[in-house]
Amino acid sequence: MVNSPADELGKVQSAILDLVVAIPESTEQPVELPAVRAQAIARDAARKTSLIAASMALPPGILGWLTVLPELLGVWKVQAQMVADIASVYGKKSQLGREQMLYCLFKHVAAQLFRDVIVRVGERAVVQQTTYKMLQSITQQLGLALSKTLLKRSASRFVPFLGAATVGAYAYFDTLQVAKNATELFERATVIDEIKR
């Protein structure tokens, strides 16, 4: 039985929420040249996500369509670990919260969703902490934006090898974009604006 688009959208929203609520641990340590180490982490993660995406895109037709969500989840987990590792090399491990994770992972997909969450002010980034309800609202909007990507990716499943290469390349460059988001954020001094109650 194939799930309805609403079911798939709900799964995507739930996966995004789960991803940003549970920040991965990092074994990386702060380094003297964090940008150099961040680039190495990014390239390694990009290769991993490319391999995950391309291999999940190999099954043709309907079977391939069923691998879209597991592929996204696998790619996002590698990217989340990469963001945690980049935060660590910049010495910002303790400042990595759900807002920063969400921003790094998805800013390049839907930048307008984050205009009130993280604001660049000169050399600083001001992070507005969010309530869980606000976080749910952002993930719902992200889920809608990402559903378009899901449709495009599922269409490539009908062209087995070329589709797999395309999906792998997309994952590679998407991961490098996430790394760029993270590096730009963690290079700045960060101010956390507490939730007003």
Side-chain angles (χ1 to χ4, degrees), residues 49-119:
T49 59
S50 179
L51 184 61
I52 289 168
S55 62
M56 295 290 273
L58 281 174
I62 298 298
L63 185 59
W65 188 82
L66 295 173
T67 65
V68 174
L69 189 57
E71 171 214 323
L72 282 176
L73 295 176
V75 166
W76 289 343
K77 285 181 182 180
V78 172
Q79 290 176 344
Q81 184 63 59
M82 176 189 68
V83 170
D85 290 344
I86 291 173
S88 290
V89 299
Y90 276 95
K92 306 266 178 106
K93 186 177 182 176
S94 63
Q95 295 178 7
L96 179 58
R98 59 191 188 192
E99 295 84 5
Q100 293 91 329
M101 181 62 77
L102 198 60
Y103 175 86
C104 292
L105 291 174
F106 301 110
K107 175 197 166 235
H108 60 287
V109 175
Q112 72 279 5
L113 290 178
F114 301 102
R115 67 180 179 271
D116 296 329
V117 177
I118 296 184
V119 179

Side-chain angles (χ1 to χ4, degrees), residues 2-197:
V2 177
N3 291 332
S4 71
D7 291 339
E8 291 300 317
L9 182 58
K11 285 181 184 178
V12 170
Q13 292 167 355
S14 177
I16 294 169
L17 197 56
D18 291 346
L19 195 65
V20 298
V21 169
I23 305 294
E25 287 296 319
S26 176
T27 57
E28 294 287 335
Q29 298 297 318
V31 295
E32 194 172 313
L33 297 172
V36 173
R37 180 66 187 133
Q39 284 180 344
I41 291 168
R43 284 191 305 273
D44 184 50
R47 282 190 293 274
K48 286 178 185 173
T49 59
S50 179
L51 184 61
I52 289 168
S55 62
M56 295 290 273
L58 281 174
I62 298 298
L63 185 59
W65 188 82
L66 295 173
T67 65
V68 174
L69 189 57
E71 171 214 323
L72 282 176
L73 295 176
V75 166
W76 289 343
K77 285 181 182 180
V78 172
Q79 290 176 344
Q81 184 63 59
M82 176 189 68
V83 170
D85 290 344
I86 291 173
S88 290
V89 299
Y90 276 95
K92 306 266 178 106
K93 186 177 182 176
S94 63
Q95 295 178 7
L96 179 58
R98 59 191 188 192
E99 295 84 5
Q100 293 91 329
M101 181 62 77
L102 198 60
Y103 175 86
C104 292
L105 291 174
F106 301 110
K107 175 197 166 235
H108 60 287
V109 175
Q112 72 279 5
L113 290 178
F114 301 102
R115 67 180 179 271
D116 296 329
V117 177
I118 296 184
V119 179
R120 288 190 275 185
V121 180
E123 293 300 313
R124 297 181 304 158
V126 178
V127 179
Q128 174 66 53
Q129 286 189 324
T130 59
T131 62
Y132 192 75
K133 186 172 181 123
M134 186 177 180
L135 191 64
Q136 285 178 313
S137 173
I138 291 171
T139 58
Q140 285 175 336
Q141 293 173 55
L142 259 175
L144 289 171
L146 289 168
S147 64
K148 294 173 189 169
T149 302
L150 275 173
L151 287 174
K152 290 176 188 173
R153 284 188 176 188
S154 61
S156 70
R157 300 310 206 250
F158 291 96
V159 185
F161 294 108
L162 181 60
T166 303
V167 169
Y170 178 84
Y172 185 91
F173 291 108
D174 184 65
T175 301
L176 293 180
Q177 185 61 53
V178 171
K180 180 181 174 197
N181 295 343
T183 301
E184 287 175 356
L185 178 63
F186 298 126
E187 281 178 341
R188 297 176 181 276
T190 305
V191 177
I192 308 293
D193 191 7
E194 300 288 330
I195 299 173
K196 311 283 190 289
R197 298 219 185 259

